[in-house]
């Protein structure tokens, strides 16, 4: 038999540190992915079903459950490649690298290495967390 727990506020075991349920449901990522594009494979995830590898440093994360609209946002990160360069998943149109359109079920990425020999690069450990509402 299914059951429901209806609450307005959560507190820790001692009755302190309260947080409204709306903060928990509205303020937490609805999906995240940690991937290795060299394989390519998703290493760990929540609500991510697979990775699509389209070219060196380019691909997409496919969500298991759709977002309510394509206006959700993803925060991203990658490990440092060296102390003199950055390595960043990007989805912006800067006029040089182009733009990939995201949808409610697909978040495209481009892993870009800037520094000596800059360009697209297959990451061994990029991450993204999607903020928004599920459909």
């Amino acid at each position: 038999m299914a059951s429901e727990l209806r609450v307005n506020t959560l507190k820790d075991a001692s009755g302190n540190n309260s947080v409204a349920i709306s903060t928990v449901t509205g303020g937490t990522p609805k999906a995240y992915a940690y991937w290795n594009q060299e394989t390519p494979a998703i290493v760990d995830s929540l609500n991510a079903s697979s990775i699509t590898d389209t070219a060196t440093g380019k691909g997409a994360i496919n969500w298991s459950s759709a977002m309510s609209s394509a206006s959700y946002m993803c925060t991203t990160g990658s490990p440092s490649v060296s102390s003199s360069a950055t390595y960043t998943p990007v989805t912006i149109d800067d006029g040089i690298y182009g733009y990939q359109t995201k949808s409610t079920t697909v978040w495209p990425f481009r892993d870009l290495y800037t520094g000596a020999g800059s360009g697209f690069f297959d990451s061994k450990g990029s991450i993204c967390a999607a903020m928004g509402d599920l459909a």
Side-chain angles (χ1 to χ4, degrees):
M1 179 173 131
S3 62
E4 270 184 27
L5 177 62
R6 294 181 183 211
V7 296
N8 293 321
T9 305
L10 293 176
K11 293 185 178 187
D12 64 20
S14 63
N16 298 313
N17 302 311
S18 65
V19 63
I21 287 295
S22 59
T23 300
V24 175
T25 59
T28 56
K30 301 308 184 289
Y32 76 86
Y34 167 50
W35 69 91
N36 177 343
Q37 195 181 0
E38 286 185 344
T39 311
I42 293 179
V43 178
D44 193 17
S45 70
L46 169 70
N47 191 26
S49 59
S50 62
I51 181 174
T52 301
D53 186 13
T54 58
T56 300
K58 300 175 184 179
I61 302 298
N62 302 295
W63 303 130
S64 301
S65 296
M67 303 298 282
S68 64
S69 76
S71 63
Y72 64 93
M73 59 80 66
C74 280
T75 182
T76 61
S78 281
S80 279
V81 174
S82 73
S83 60
S84 63
T86 57
Y87 179 51
T88 312
V90 294
T91 56
I92 58 171
D93 181 2
D94 59 8
I96 298 170
Y97 300 108
Y99 182 79
Q100 297 174 310
T101 303
K102 66 183 173 181
S103 72
T104 59
T105 57
V106 176
W107 179 73
F109 66 85
R110 294 180 177 195
D111 283 332
L112 180 64
Y113 175 75
T114 58
S118 64
F120 293 109
F121 186 83
D122 282 348
S123 166
K124 290 183 182 180
S126 289
I127 59 169
C128 71
M131 311 297 188
D133 293 326
L134 292 175

